[in-house]
Amino acid sequence: MKLSTLRNVVLLGIGSVLLAACDHNDNKRNTPEPEPVTRTYYLGLLNVTESQPFSPVTALIHNDQRLWEVGESASVPLEILAEGGDNSELMILDGVTMAETGLAPLPPGYSEGFEFTIDEDDVAYLTVVTMLVNTNDAFTGITNKSLAELAVHDSITMMLPVYDAGTEANDEVAGTIPGPADGGEGFNAERDDADTVSYHPGVVSSQDGLPGSVLMAEHRFDNPVARLIITRVE
């Protein structure tokens, strides 16, 4: 074989290799990234009381942690919500990855809805919480509910009890109830009750014989006070 012919063969081979490499890179560059796998949940909370508006409902996605425990002392963020309906400190707790809030109090007979979309591999626990505003420090909700068990289109319905934060005495006197029954003080850092979270025994109105109570019979409540439906939509 002549030298010129050999040189042409070598150059042809090098060109083929470069062309193949270019084709490979182009294919790699044009291959779309896989879409992340996600889970989407819809939450609906209904106020089933007669005359107890709820504070703006708080819905949190967070890591594995309970935000309250019966028999344990309430955290300051929970105390702030349970006494005055202010959820701002709960929404910025360490471990909270998503936080949503209602824009206004939730009247009796009305519902509030939220939607969350999370990555398939993310740790996801749910807390939903709100104050009964015609009380001293009552709240309702669930905490640390795992969402992993729900398949697409599955749903869970839960009826929610009332808790007493144990941070403010349930005296119901004028100036201590932040709701429309009184329009009094909300959060007060002083703790003058048992200082442990418990199931709430209910209110005792002035019509029930509690002197000085600003609450009326319609402000009483029976457990449960709210219905929560959690649905995985995709």
Side-chain angles (χ1 to χ4, degrees):
M1 180 180 293
K2 294 182 180 179
L3 180 59
S4 59
T5 303
L6 178 60
R7 183 177 60 190
N8 291 338
V9 170
V10 171
L11 291 176
L12 180 61
I14 293 174
S16 299
V17 171
L18 291 176
L19 181 60
C22 289
D23 288 343
H24 175 74
N25 289 336
D26 286 344
N27 289 337
K28 184 177 181 180
R29 185 166 53 247
N30 295 330
T31 301
E33 291 293 328
E35 291 292 329
V37 179
T38 59
R39 294 175 282 162
T40 300
Y41 300 90
Y42 182 80
L43 321 175
L45 182 77
L46 173 67
N47 181 340
V48 301
T49 70
E50 179 183 355
S51 296
Q52 282 287 346
F54 293 165
S55 66
V57 179
T58 312
L60 308 174
I61 301 293
H62 53 84
N63 58 16
D64 188 1
Q65 59 173 326
R66 296 189 65 83
L67 301 192
W68 67 83
E69 186 79 63
V70 170
E72 300 292 333
S73 181
S75 67
V76 172
L78 180 62
E79 177 188 10
I80 292 171
L81 178 132
E83 293 183 8
D86 180 1
N87 59 14
S88 57
E89 293 299 312
L90 283 172
M91 294 177 69
I92 59 173
L93 283 174
D94 289 343
V96 171
T97 56
M98 295 185 183
E100 295 287 346
T101 178
L103 299 180
L106 185 64
Y110 284 75
S111 62
E112 186 81 69
F114 303 96
E115 188 172 280
F116 288 101
T117 297
I118 61 177
D119 289 342
E120 178 69 30
D121 297 329
D122 283 355
V123 174
Y125 291 84
L126 173 70
T127 289
V128 178
V129 62
T130 179
M131 179 194 181
L132 281 68
V133 297
N134 284 326
T135 67
N136 288 99
D137 62 343
F139 67 97
T140 187
I142 60 164
T143 186
N144 212 46
K145 175 65 179 176
S146 174
L147 299 177
E149 64 195 67
L150 281 177
V152 177
H153 305 310
D154 280 355
S155 64
I156 302 172
T157 300
M158 307 177 70
M159 303 303 294
L160 307 183
V162 186
Y163 298 95
D164 188 331
T167 58
E168 182 177 308
N170 299 326
D171 53 26
E172 303 169 16
V173 298
T176 68
I177 304 291
D182 179 32
E185 179 185 57
F187 169 65
N188 187 320
E190 179 184 356
R191 297 193 176 194
D192 60 356
D193 200 4
D195 200 18
T196 57
V197 176
S198 62
Y199 290 104
H200 204 289
V203 300
V204 182
S205 72
S206 57
Q207 292 165 297
D208 299 315
L210 180 61
S213 174
V214 297
L215 301 183
M216 304 297 287
E218 63 265 24
H219 298 122
R220 295 194 300 247
F221 50 82
D222 296 320
N223 280 306
V225 294
R227 183 181 70 203
L228 175 66
I229 301 177
I230 309 168
T231 304
R232 182 176 174 186
V233 295
E234 63 179 36

